[in-house]
DNA sequence: ATCCGGCGCT
DNA sequence: AGCGCCGGAT
């Protein structure tokens, strides 16, 4: 009948013994020493370069990001340089990566860092998460990969590896998993550790080799708004602008639809959503990419 | 035809 | 809490 100093209601949090942690470190880091992928953003510790890579990697496979990442850094080697660029050119460099709104968020974040943080990418999660396009995941990734901070980075690959290797319940909450993940980071090796976990998850413990919960289904691309959005952006990148008909928005949609070979109502919907995302602007006489 | 995934908005 | 956003691989 000892009285506990702290009555913990839910102490189901798995604690990983030191020995188990060390075994896992050895297993993963030894594997990584022989099998690490050679990725361009791993050759640098420049926080800006890491920031760029993280924005791109949010949504795209590693192999497709590689050439975009290299071209981007060669076009805008510093955050100051990027911060002065026009949105249309940023969208052009992004074109083909997908999720165009994020190219603009990256530009906005660059401007904010130059204006408010003296050109320095923040070192703490709170400041990072206040920047557009940076959520919990990307903030953690920047802290770990740019600054080697002991901040748990948990994408779906790493989540799968941790659940598998530590025999955690598939239903574990994000918060509990983060608590476990933090204990597991080897001292002073956050960067290597997370790179290793990602590679291990991407090449060994793939979703196929493990039994992981069902995935959500993607609506078909054919006939979707995003298909129309993509066509409109490419059109604007090549033509510069679309003339706004005096007869109104509907007529404009119709004319554009004819050129793009897409149903007018879908073009109209796409224009509205692009406008909503700030990717296009309506001027007096024309539709253009933003300044 | 289906899969991949972090962020922001509602 | 759930949805929409991207384009290329398979």
């Amino acid at each position: 009948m000892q009285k506990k100093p702290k009555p913990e209601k839910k102490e189901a949090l798995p604690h990983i013994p030191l020995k188990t942690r060390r075994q896992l470190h050895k297993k993963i880091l030894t594997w990584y020493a022989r099998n690490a992928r050679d990725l361009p953003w791993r050759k640098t510790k420049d926080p800006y370069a890491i920031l760029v890579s993280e924005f791109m990697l949010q949504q795209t496979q590693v192999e497709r990001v590689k050439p975009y990442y290299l071209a981007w850094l060669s076009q805008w080697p510093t955050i100051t340089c990027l911060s002065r660029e026009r949105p249309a050119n940023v969208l052009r460099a992004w074109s083909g990566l997908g999720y165009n709104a994020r190219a603009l968020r990256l530009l906005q974040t660059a401007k904010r860092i130059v204006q408010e943080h003296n050109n320095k990418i923040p070192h703490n999660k709170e400041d990072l998460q206040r920047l557009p396009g940076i959520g919990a995941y990307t903030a953690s990734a920047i802290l770990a990969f740019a600054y080697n901070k002991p901040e748990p980075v948990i994408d779906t690959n790493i989540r799968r590896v941790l659940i598998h290797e530590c025999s955690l319940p598939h239903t574990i909450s994000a918060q509990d998993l983060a608590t476990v993940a933090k204990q597991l980071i080897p001292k002073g090796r956050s960067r290597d550790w997370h790179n290793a976990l990602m590679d291990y998850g991407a090449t060994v413990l793939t979703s196929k080799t493990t039994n992981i919960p069902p995935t959500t289904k993607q609506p078909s691309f054919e006939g979707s708004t995003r298909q129309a959005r993509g066509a409109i952006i490419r059109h604007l990148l090549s033509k510069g602008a679309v003339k706004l008909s005096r007869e109104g928005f509907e007529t404009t949609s119709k004319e554009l639809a004819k050129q793009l070979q897409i149903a007018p109502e879908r073009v109209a919907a796409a224009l509205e959503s692009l406008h909503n995302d700030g990717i296009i602007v309506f001027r007096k006489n024309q539709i253009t990419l933003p300044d």
Side-chain angles (χ1 to χ4, degrees), chain A residues 3-251:
Chain A
K3 61 174 188 177
K4 294 178 159 184
K6 259 197 190 169
E8 293 282 325
K9 291 241 162 136
K10 45 136 196 176
E11 45 193 302
L13 261 188
H15 177 266
I16 315 292
L18 180 60
K19 191 176 166 196
T20 310
R21 298 205 302 265
R22 291 209 171 124
Q23 282 170 353
L24 187 60
H25 293 165
K26 183 166 187 190
K27 174 178 178 178
I28 299 289
L29 290 173
T30 301
W31 177 90
Y32 183 64
R34 303 201 307 130
N35 301 283
R37 291 179 291 179
D38 182 26
L39 307 177
W41 44 90
R42 289 188 185 164
K43 299 181 191 299
T44 180
K45 291 178 182 176
D46 174 11
Y48 163 66
I50 304 292
L51 175 79
V52 171
S53 76
E54 287 304 331
F55 264 78
M56 291 180 171
L57 288 164
Q58 277 170 11
Q59 65 227 22
T60 312
Q61 298 97 312
V62 160
E63 285 307 315
R64 196 140 42 98
V65 164
K66 280 182 185 172
Y68 283 85
Y69 168 85
L70 294 170
W72 189 283
L73 285 176
S74 126
Q75 190 168 5
W76 302 294
T78 68
I79 195 163
T80 317
C81 185
L82 174 62
S83 73
R84 295 199 261 254
E85 188 53 89
R86 300 173 56 217
N89 288 335
V90 166
L91 285 168
R92 191 180 309 280
W94 195 269
S95 181
L97 270 181
Y99 296 104
N100 298 289
R102 298 184 182 207
L104 298 183
R105 291 185 191 133
L106 176 52
L107 175 60
Q108 283 308 310
T109 280
K111 287 181 191 289
R112 288 263 301 270
I113 290 173
V114 167
Q115 295 271 333
E116 302 170 16
H117 297 279
N118 191 29
N119 298 352
K120 302 284 184 285
I121 281 93
H123 287 248
N124 65 80
K125 210 170 170 184
E126 298 70 34
D127 285 347
L128 283 168
Q129 282 201 242
R130 287 191 193 102
L131 297 166
I134 299 185
Y137 171 81
T138 303
S140 301
I142 290 168
L143 293 176
F145 295 129
Y147 302 127
N148 197 29
K149 290 206 173 194
E151 181 70 32
V153 181
I154 306 175
D155 68 352
T156 53
N157 275 322
I158 293 184
R159 177 187 167 90
R160 198 169 56 243
V161 171
L162 294 181
I163 287 175
H164 186 269
E165 292 295 330
C166 301
S167 304
L168 301 167
H170 290 187
T171 53
I172 189 169
S173 72
Q175 191 167 17
D176 284 356
L177 186 59
T179 305
V180 173
K182 181 145 173 65
Q183 305 175 46
L184 291 173
I185 302 169
K187 284 214 182 333
R189 300 202 61 185
S190 180
R191 179 187 290 117
D192 288 345
W193 176 244
H194 289 106
N195 279 329
L197 286 176
M198 283 187 171
D199 284 8
Y200 197 70
T203 62
V204 179
L205 288 184
T206 64
S207 51
K208 298 208 168 173
T209 64
T210 60
N211 262 347
I212 239 64
T215 57
T216 61
K217 267 196 179 170
Q218 180 179 39
S220 75
F221 178 68
E222 201 54 40
S224 65
T225 302
R226 65 187 175 93
Q227 182 186 36
R229 284 171 57 116
I232 291 167
I233 304 237
R234 283 189 295 277
H235 184 81
L236 283 173
L237 283 172
S238 68
K239 304 281 186 188
V242 165
K243 191 167 162 296
L244 264 174
S245 165
R246 266 193 293 270
E247 330 215 347
F249 180 68
E250 280 199 32
T251 310

